[in-house]
Amino acid sequence: SGRFVRKMLVLNCSTKLQMLEKMLRWSFPVSLKVYGAVMNINRGNPFRKEVVVDSWPDFKAVITRPQRQTDDLDHYTNAHAVFYKEPQAYQELLENTNAINWEQIFQIQGFLYDWVKNLTEELLYCEAQFFFLIYFLYSLRMDPKFTLAYLDISHSSLLNKTWSRGGNPRCEKYLANLICSFPSACVLDDKRYPLSWSLTDQFATMIHSYTLPEHRRKGFSRLVTTTLAKKLHSCGFPVQGNVLEANLPSVSLLKSMNAHFLPCSFFRVIHTPFQFLTKPH
């Protein structure tokens, strides 16, 4: 029918990727997910991601995706970040190119302004987005038997069991990879067992902030969050995260720490091809 098929470009050039990182700053906050992914790509690319754009340098849509073939059932690793200036350009990039492998289970993460969310909230899983424009150092006089430290790979099983999105082998492997690749913080007891923790993902987002129930209301969450925020700032990363609006204790904690809640909502869409609907994942 003579329909125009939109082309896509994979940005492999380090100079262009550095340029993209700077250009994405102009579109905060809705570009934050892609910006975090591009920052990690430009700093060693530990999660082996790559960037797809609809055009260059006047791009209207950007997708970060896995660089190589991955487990078709692993939506944790098969995670894509998206940012677009024009919805039509983003839609055409999805529909008319091979930017996404539609044959596997994957997730797409990005941001919607609230007025867009109101139109689509029945279709999307949305969370409030917060951003530390400034942070303050928080000191806690801890019992000497507790230690402030980083997570290590031996903790991945505990994190998998306590994460609302976890509880399966693929998630445990994913969390172990995050621990090995990106900043984290935790409080350990005298047996080196984690009591409270937070870590960051491939989009430079703070995730899975959690304190064991019997150790809550001791200031550990505030200490861990502040420590991880300081670490991210020292590496040049923005400090960002997502929280369910119904999670009132976490929302209250973040507000008390001067977290700035943004006028857009984070969304995560998980795509499952028909042939995988009956398989556990």
Side-chain angles (χ1 to χ4, degrees):
S1 61
R3 183 185 177 198
F4 172 70
V5 177
R6 181 175 287 273
K7 295 180 180 179
M8 70 168 196
L9 299 171
V10 178
L11 290 190
N12 293 317
C13 171
S14 59
T15 302
K16 290 179 180 177
L17 287 167
Q18 294 286 350
M19 286 177 60
L20 177 63
E21 183 179 318
K22 292 185 175 72
M23 294 160 81
L24 288 167
R25 292 177 195 156
W26 304 342
S27 300
F28 279 1
V30 289
S31 63
L32 269 169
K33 283 288 178 207
V34 169
Y35 178 75
V38 172
M39 282 194 75
N40 280 324
I41 290 171
N42 287 338
R43 287 155 184 76
N45 199 11
F47 248 60
R48 295 288 165 259
K49 297 286 185 179
E50 65 184 9
V51 176
V52 173
V53 294
D54 64 320
S55 58
W56 184 262
D58 300 318
F59 64 87
K60 296 179 179 62
V62 187
I63 298 175
T64 66
R65 66 181 187 182
Q67 201 174 49
R68 50 183 166 73
Q69 184 63 35
T70 52
D71 176 357
D72 284 342
L73 298 177
D74 184 3
H75 74 264
Y76 301 99
T77 304
N78 301 337
H80 303 62
V82 303
F83 163 65
Y84 52 87
K85 300 174 183 177
E86 295 182 6
Q88 184 179 353
Y90 170 53
Q91 185 174 342
E92 290 180 357
L93 194 59
L94 290 183
E95 291 179 353
N96 301 335
T97 71
N98 60 348
I100 300 278
N101 179 2
W102 293 92
E103 299 303 310
Q104 63 181 193
I105 300 176
F106 66 84
Q107 62 173 294
I108 293 179
Q109 298 188 16
F111 293 110
L112 291 175
Y113 280 111
D114 287 342
W115 65 270
V116 180
K117 185 183 77 168
N118 290 339
L119 299 176
T120 59
E121 58 188 351
E122 293 182 2
L123 305 176
L124 297 175
Y125 169 80
C126 293
E127 299 178 6
Q129 174 73 10
F130 66 84
F131 180 68
F132 284 104
L133 294 174
I134 55 173
Y135 72 95
F136 59 89
L137 293 178
Y138 175 76
S139 59
L140 172 69
R141 191 182 295 275
M142 280 202 305
D143 187 311
K145 68 182 180 181
F146 300 132
T147 308
L148 189 60
Y150 302 120
L151 292 165
D152 69 49
I153 197 168
S154 68
H155 302 145
S156 57
S157 176
L158 173 64
L159 267 64
N160 181 42
K161 291 174 185 173
T162 52
W163 198 19
S164 59
R165 293 172 51 208
N168 60 78
R170 285 186 177 86
C171 184
E172 183 170 339
K173 180 181 176 182
Y174 169 70
L175 290 167
N177 288 337
L178 291 182
I179 289 169
C180 293
S181 302
F182 304 115
S184 64
C186 65
V187 172
L188 304 177
D189 66 12
D190 53 356
K191 297 177 182 175
R192 307 293 293 174
Y193 189 83
L195 308 178
S196 180
W197 59 82
S198 186
L199 65 160
T200 44
D201 68 8
Q202 66 265 47
F203 307 117
T205 303
M206 295 171 67
I207 65 163
H208 194 9
S209 298
Y210 188 88
T211 301
L212 297 179
E214 61 270 28
H215 292 283
R216 291 173 185 170
R217 299 187 177 276
K218 297 179 181 179
F220 289 160
S221 292
R222 188 183 295 265
L223 177 64
V224 164
T225 300
T226 305
T227 302
L228 185 52
K230 180 182 177 184
K231 175 66 175 175
L232 289 167
H233 268 297
S234 72
C235 296
F237 285 88
V239 178
Q240 58 166 320
N242 324 114
V243 60
L244 286 169
E245 293 178 22
N247 187 349
L248 298 181
S250 293
V251 171
S252 297
L253 171 66
L254 290 163
K255 286 182 176 178
S256 74
M257 296 178 67
N258 294 336
H260 177 62
F261 283 80
L262 301 175
C264 57
S265 294
F266 162 75
F267 73 84
R268 181 188 305 112
V269 178
I270 298 178
H271 164 79
T272 303
F274 182 77
Q275 68 266 29
F276 294 136
L277 286 174
T278 58
K279 295 186 178 183
H281 52 269

